[in-house]
Amino acid sequence: AMTALNYARLVASTGMGLVYGKLGWDKIQGTDFERRGYQRLELPLWFMRFNGMWQLSTGVLLCIPPLRPLGVFGSAASVGGVTVALLERETAPVDSPGFQIPMGINAALGLVTLALSPGFAPMAAGLAAGSVGLYQVEATPQAVRDLFA
C-alpha cells in the first residue's frame, strides 16, 4: 500500500516532471522568451537547446519513480547552473523583479528537488555538475556544439 508520504512524493515528482518538461520543450523549440533570456545572459543558442534536452529528460525521469534519483540529479544540475548564470551573468539589479523572480522560481525548484532527493549525494552531485558545467560553455568542443546547432 502507498503511504501518504510516498503519494506526496509521487505527486510532487510528477508535477516537477511536468514543469521540467515544459521548460525543456520551450528551450528546444526556441521560444522568444527563452531566446531573449539566453541572449541577455550572453549564452549561446546551442546551449539553450542542450539545456532543453537536459530538462525534458529530467522531467521524464522525475515522472518514473524508480528513476527519480536520476531526475533529482538533473534537476539539481539545472538549479546549480541557473544560480551561477543569474549571479554571474544577469544584468538586472539584484533587488529588481528581473533578478528576484527567476531566482525565486529557481530556489523553489531547488527546495522541491531537495525534498525528493533520496539522500544528499544526488542533490550535491547535481548542484556541483550544473555549477561547474556553466563555466565550461565557452570551452565546449565545436563537434558538441554542432550537435545542438
Side-chain angles (χ1 to χ4, degrees):
M2 185 175 282
T3 66
L5 181 59
N6 284 342
Y7 181 74
R9 282 190 179 130
L10 179 64
V11 170
S13 64
T14 301
M16 284 272 290
L18 294 173
V19 168
Y20 271 109
K22 172 71 170 128
L23 291 170
W25 187 250
D26 286 353
K27 287 175 181 68
I28 291 168
Q29 294 298 307
T31 64
D32 288 341
F33 176 79
E34 292 291 347
R35 192 177 287 271
R36 282 193 310 270
Y38 273 73
Q39 289 169 340
R40 187 181 70 251
L41 296 174
E42 297 181 0
L43 291 167
L45 294 181
W46 72 263
F47 191 59
M48 177 183 69
R49 285 184 280 283
F50 169 83
N51 285 329
M53 290 179 195
W54 180 274
Q55 288 181 331
L56 187 60
S57 300
T58 293
V60 170
L61 292 168
L62 286 169
C63 290
I64 304 170
L67 300 178
R68 189 180 302 141
L70 294 173
V72 165
F73 174 84
S75 177
S78 290
V79 168
V82 168
T83 300
V84 170
L86 289 173
L87 290 174
E88 302 242 339
R89 294 174 175 257
E90 179 57 70
T91 56
V94 175
D95 61 350
S96 73
F99 181 88
Q100 291 179 348
I101 291 172
M103 189 60 94
I105 292 168
N106 195 52
L109 289 171
L111 288 173
V112 175
T113 302
L114 181 60
L116 293 174
S117 185
F120 180 72
M123 183 78 185
L127 285 170
S131 301
V132 171
L134 190 73
Y135 291 110
Q136 301 304 313
V137 173
E138 283 80 16
T140 303
Q142 189 61 45
V144 174
R145 296 174 190 215
D146 291 345
L147 289 174
F148 302 97

